[in-house]
Structure formats: structure tokens, C-alpha cells
Amino acid sequence: MSAATTEGAAAKATGSGKCPPAKLTGRVVTPNDPGYAEASLGWDELFVHYPLVIVYAQHTQDVVNALTWARQHDVALRVRSGGHSLEGWSNVDNGIVIDVSELKSVHIDTASRTAKVGAGLSQLEAVTTLARKDLAVTTGTEGSVGLSGATLGGGFGFLTRYLGMACDSLTAAEVVVASDPDCAKVITADLKHNSDLLWALRGAGNGNFGIVTSLTYKTSPLRSVAYVQATWDGLRDLQAIFEAWQRTGPSADPRLGTQLEIHRNQILLFGVVAEGSAAEARKLLAPILSIGTPEVTVQIGNWGDVYAGFQIPTEEEPANWKFFSQFTTKPFPKKAIGLIGSFMRDAPTDDSNFFTQAFGGAVRREPRGGTAFPHRDALFYSEPGAGWGTRGVPGSGDELTPVAQAWIAEFSQALRPYVHGAYVNVPNIGMQDWETAYWGSNFDRLRKIKAKYDPHNIFQYEQSIPPATH
């Protein structure tokens, strides 16, 4: 930042009695720094923002200082962990981005099976670190996604039916919140302290109430998994495969987690059986694997090794992405499955897909203290997604952008009769009743909790929770 800007900002600082003027600490990146372009880019390169400053916190105090500074200078702020915010909301023009991705501490207590981790861990780092001790928590499938962001929005993946949502195993969090007059402070949210905030963080915690700097999880033992991948060429078996999957996936042995991914030229089925053998995995998936002639592989191994093995390097992924999230409580009729087939044949790129995740099993049980995540009765989650453009090439794929966005809009509109609700970690921009789509009947309670912990609405973005007004 130029001297003039900082002096101007300092002049604006209130420096009120209780709170001396804050200085930014940690790894501070400003527009003049060589690393600024990279630091200001998120995973989805469709969104480009130019923040005034990016603070990579190295300690909780850096977050306290950054939040205090933002308030004293009346600057818009956003919180970022893995940088995967799918509408670019963890970044902001002319504001401050408080990035927690370098808070990487890990303390695992094997006796009590608890893990306290910094908010900067990626899902891959979390999975592999816990797996070395034969422990696990639920995470999403994509390793580069931030663990905290995934957990605070709910968090689901291959272990969901076995261990519940990621947020279900969150037992405590350290949170930096705004405090009066223009300050910030660190509080703990657990079942004994600020338990209402813990409830809210379990499913509505991203950028709404404060900045989570560490998370404590109750982990579960997991020595090995059977990992199955099946591939069918073309879409001719789609009707039968989808029908068999939705009939068995959500009601199978809860140790089995499955995802179906439909591309324009192939159908992929992925399955993980916790503590399962190859024979058991094939037997559980037999109703689906018996359709057509899929190519099937089964791998047995430590969850950390298996998880690391199916990651696709970020640089090989498309630059731009658009998704639409939805939940389903009744099986798709033939017509809905037919719609998926016709839209997928028309997909804008090979990277575009229709992705599903089986629910049921442990998802139906809420943890002690409850959660703000409301979609417990879903059979499965699904999303159409379009990927296009080349990473690191600005403007790449611009000509495909309107095509991809129109395809997603039409696809999601066509499926509306068969789906309900939405997933806050895969936000649906422009959705009218997003508040109830994400949080159902929990929204009013979330507004009251917001009013208690962030009455001045310091933490706000396009679809943030507004404080209750009375």
C-alpha cells in the first residue's frame, strides 16, 4: 500500500479508548507486491477481485489485528481459507481479505480421539494427517478445498453415511468476533460456552458470525477402506444405472458411501466401504455393477492413501466453474432421469457433469447440541456443474461463459419439480428464497444468533445472514 493510502487510512482510524489503532500483522500482501496477482485469485477463475490488502494470518492475533483494522478503517472484509468460494465471495474489491490458510497447527489426542486443527488445513492435509493415526472425520472429495469452509457449511463426502456430516463431528471452535467499540476478541464456541454459536457454526458458519481460527473434532477410528470405481462408456445405460443407484445407495449398509458422476460421454460410479473387503464392496454395489459392462477397479488401503490417490491436480482442472445445488427426498422418476441424459448430451464441455452424493445412514442422526444443517431427510444431493477455460490464462473460455451459464440455468430449472433446498457451500446465485433453501426453518434462529455475535453486520456478503432486528 502506498504511504499516502496508509496515512489516509490512519487518519480515519478512530483509535477509541479501549482499542488502540490496529496494525496489520502476519504475511501482508498489497497491490504493489509481486505475489499480489496470485494471492488475489481464487480457485474459480471466473471471478476476479482486487482487494486493498490480503492478510495471511500466522497466528490468531493476526486475525484479531486484521479485523480490528478493518473496523477502524471502515473497510469491507471477507474471510478466506481454501479459496474455493464458488461465487468468489471470499474476496472483495477495495477491501481486506483475511486469509487463514496458513494456520496449519494439528494436535491429535489418540486417547480421547479428538483433533484440534488450525482453520487453514486443506481437506487433503486433514485426511492424510488423521489417517496416519487410523482416524477420520467426514470431508468432501476435493482435497484442495479448505477443511474449515467445508465443515462450516455442513460438509459431506464418502464417509457421510458412516460418520455423519463433517459439522456433526465439530465439537468446538475458536472464533474471532467483532466487539465494541471498534475491536475484535477471541471466544470459544463449544457445548459449555456459546453453545448457540456452535450450533450456528455447524452448517451456517462461513463468514457469517466471525472468523474461525481453529476447529476441534471428535474423530472416528478408520483403518482401511475399499475404494471402487466403475466406468460405463456413453449414456445408454443411464436410466437403469441411476434407478439402481438411487434405490440402493441411500439405503445400503451405512459403511458404503457412493457418488454418481454423469458426463456427456461416460458414467462414473465411485464407492467407499469403510473397513470393507473387495468382495464386500462388489456385493454391496452388485445391483449397479450388474448393469451393462462397466470397467471396474477395487482398491483396498489406508483412507489417507486412497484419498490422495484420486485427487486431480488443480492445474489440470478447468479455470472456470458454475454449479447449482439441490437436494432430493423422493427418487427421481423416469422423466427426471431422462432430463439429466438430454442435458448431459448437450453439455458445453467434457468437464461438465451431473454429480450426486448418496445420503441416508448417519446423516439422519443429529449430534449433541444439534446443527443448523437442515437437510437430514435427503435421499441424495445433486448438482449440475460446468467447467471450462484454461487455468492461468486470463479471459480463457470467455466465449463459453454465457453458454455454460445458460446451460446450468436451464438444467436446474428443468429439475425444479424433483428437487428442493440448496447447499450453502454450493450457493445458488439469484435464487429467490435462498435463506430457507439453505437453512429451512433454522433461518430465524440464525438471525437471532447473528444479532448476538455480530449486531453491526460486519460479516456480510451477497447471501450472508442478516441480524434479527428486534
Side-chain angles (χ1 to χ4, degrees), residues 135-146:
L135 296 171
V137 294
T138 298
T139 68
T141 315
E142 180 113 15
S144 63
V145 167

Side-chain angles (χ1 to χ4, degrees), residues 108 124-135 302 304-305:
I108 301 170
L124 176 61
E125 289 166 336
V127 169
T128 50
T129 304
L130 288 171
R132 281 186 211 117
K133 307 226 186 269
D134 290 334
L135 296 171
N302 171 276
D305 297 335

Side-chain angles (χ1 to χ4, degrees), residues 115-461:
K116 184 178 183 181
V117 302
L121 252 62
S122 70
Q123 294 191 136
L124 176 61
E125 289 166 336
V127 169
T128 50
T129 304
L130 288 171
R132 281 186 211 117
K133 307 226 186 269
D134 290 334
L135 296 171
V137 294
T138 298
T139 68
T141 315
E142 180 113 15
S144 63
V145 167
L147 176 73
S148 55
T151 301
L152 296 172
F156 54 78
F158 284 119
L159 302 179
T160 304
R161 302 187 64 254
Y162 185 49
L163 303 178
M165 302 293 291
C167 67
D168 295 353
S169 56
L170 180 70
T171 58
E174 178 186 79
V175 193
V176 178
V177 294
S179 63
D180 285 335
D182 268 334
C183 313
K185 66 178 180 185
V186 184
I187 63 171
T188 297
D190 58 25
L191 287 173
K192 291 193 178 78
H193 316 90
N194 306 304
S195 57
D196 54 348
L197 181 57
L198 176 67
W199 175 86
L201 292 177
R202 290 169 164 173
N206 282 319
N208 276 310
F209 306 98
I211 303 168
V212 173
T213 47
S214 90
L215 307 100
T216 303
Y217 294 89
K218 182 85 180 143
T219 68
S220 300
L222 182 60
R223 287 183 308 280
S224 86
V225 302
Y227 173 64
V228 182
Q229 180 175 342
T231 310
W232 289 262
D233 283 334
L235 299 185
R236 65 192 164 278
D237 291 316
L238 176 62
Q239 197 81 44
I241 292 166
F242 201 99
E243 179 53 48
W245 174 78
Q246 69 176 353
R247 202 176 58 245
T248 57
S251 55
D253 183 323
R255 291 177 306 138
L256 173 68
T258 51
Q259 298 175 351
L260 201 59
E261 211 176 277
I262 299 145
H263 292 255
R264 62 183 179 187
N265 49 12
Q266 61 177 8
I267 300 168
L268 302 167
L269 170 73
F270 305 97
V272 166
V273 185
E275 311 292 5
S277 67
E280 206 177 6
R282 284 180 181 274
K283 189 177 169 194
L284 285 168
L285 290 165
I288 312 166
L289 299 180
S290 61
I291 296 162
T293 50
E295 188 184 309
V296 183
T297 59
V298 186
Q299 178 193 350
I300 306 289
N302 171 276
W303 176 228
D305 297 335
V306 168
Y307 186 93
F310 61 64
Q311 297 304 317
I312 295 162
T314 301
E315 56 273 15
E316 290 175 25
E317 295 180 319
N320 312 306
W321 286 93
K322 195 77 186 172
F323 302 91
F324 192 92
S325 65
Q326 56 215 3
F327 291 93
T328 296
T329 47
K330 294 191 181 80
F332 277 177
K334 274 200 162 69
K335 187 178 175 190
I337 302 168
L339 279 170
I340 296 166
S342 60
F343 271 96
M344 284 320 306
R345 285 182 191 96
D346 232 4
T349 60
D350 283 342
D351 287 297
S352 305
N353 66 67
F354 184 79
F355 167 90
T356 66
Q357 173 85 51
F359 269 45
V363 181
R364 298 187 184 273
R365 293 196 305 274
E366 275 213 299
R368 214 172 120 230
T371 73
F373 179 82
H375 308 287
R376 301 275 167 187
D377 59 346
L379 275 182
F380 59 86
Y381 165 85
S382 65
E383 66 188 30
W388 70 100
T390 310
R391 285 201 173 263
V393 182
S396 160
D398 276 1
E399 68 290 344
L400 266 175
T401 299
V403 180
Q405 288 176 326
W407 179 78
I408 288 280
E410 287 163 25
F411 198 165
S412 48
Q413 183 63 28
L415 285 176
R416 270 188 76 174
Y418 315 104
V419 300
H420 72 94
Y423 179 41
V424 68
N425 279 356
V426 182
N428 296 343
I429 196 160
M431 186 178 226
Q432 273 186 313
D433 301 319
W434 55 267
E435 303 91 342
T436 46
Y438 298 146
W439 296 297
S441 59
N442 293 332
F443 188 63
D444 287 345
R445 184 177 173 194
L446 286 167
R447 289 195 63 186
K448 291 188 180 103
I449 295 169
K450 171 77 167 179
K452 178 175 166 185
Y453 292 95
D454 183 23
H456 304 301
N457 204 14
I458 305 300
F459 295 96
Q460 58 168 288
Y461 54 92

